Structures are given as structure tokens and as C-alpha cells.
Amino acid sequence: MSKYSGNRVSLDKERMYEIIRSPLITETTTIISEHNQVSFRVPLSATTPKIRAAVEGLFDVQFTSVTT
């Protein structure tokens, strides 16, 4: 279950793994990885704040933007 705090979302680990399903590896994502960008498969119902919370929680990183 998620809790909203402003535009921050708090998720438990199980939910984070449900949102971030797997890395997306294609020729294009390999090229963008050279610019410190990554791509993941996520459910269509995942919102930008939930994706941000899941990536930050699982990988202990901070980033500037999420594009869906």
C-alpha cells in the first residue's frame, strides 16, 4: 500500500518489486545508458511518483526526472 506525502510516495519493498519488473535492454536503451539513463519495464498502471519511489528505494539513488 502506498502513502502520499505531498508528491512523495512511500512503498514497501514488495510493492517496489511489483512496479519495477525488469530492466529494458534494447539497442536504444544501451545508447542512453551512456548518458546515465536507465529503462525499466513497469505496469501500465504505475504512476510517475510510484516509479520514482520504487527506483529510489530499491537502488538507493536520487535522480532528476522520470519519463513514462
Side-chain angles (χ1 to χ4, degrees):
M1 175 172 274
S2 62
K3 296 178 241 169
Y4 291 91
S5 171
N7 48 350
R8 289 286 187 198
V9 176
S10 175
L11 302 169
D12 60 9
K13 285 281 189 188
E14 182 179 340
R15 183 68 179 129
M16 289 179 192
Y17 284 111
E18 290 174 3
I19 292 173
I20 305 301
R21 292 187 173 167
S22 66
L24 184 61
I25 301 171
T26 64
E27 184 176 349
T28 302
T29 61
T30 302
I31 292 168
I32 67 166
S33 70
E34 295 172 359
H35 302 284
N36 294 325
Q37 297 177 359
V38 294
S39 297
F40 295 100
R41 292 185 194 277
V42 297
L44 290 175
S45 61
T47 63
T48 300
K50 287 182 182 180
I51 295 169
R52 174 185 291 269
V55 172
E56 288 179 350
L58 290 173
F59 300 105
D60 195 31
V61 294
Q62 297 292 320
F63 51 91
T64 56
S65 68
V66 175
T67 305
T68 58

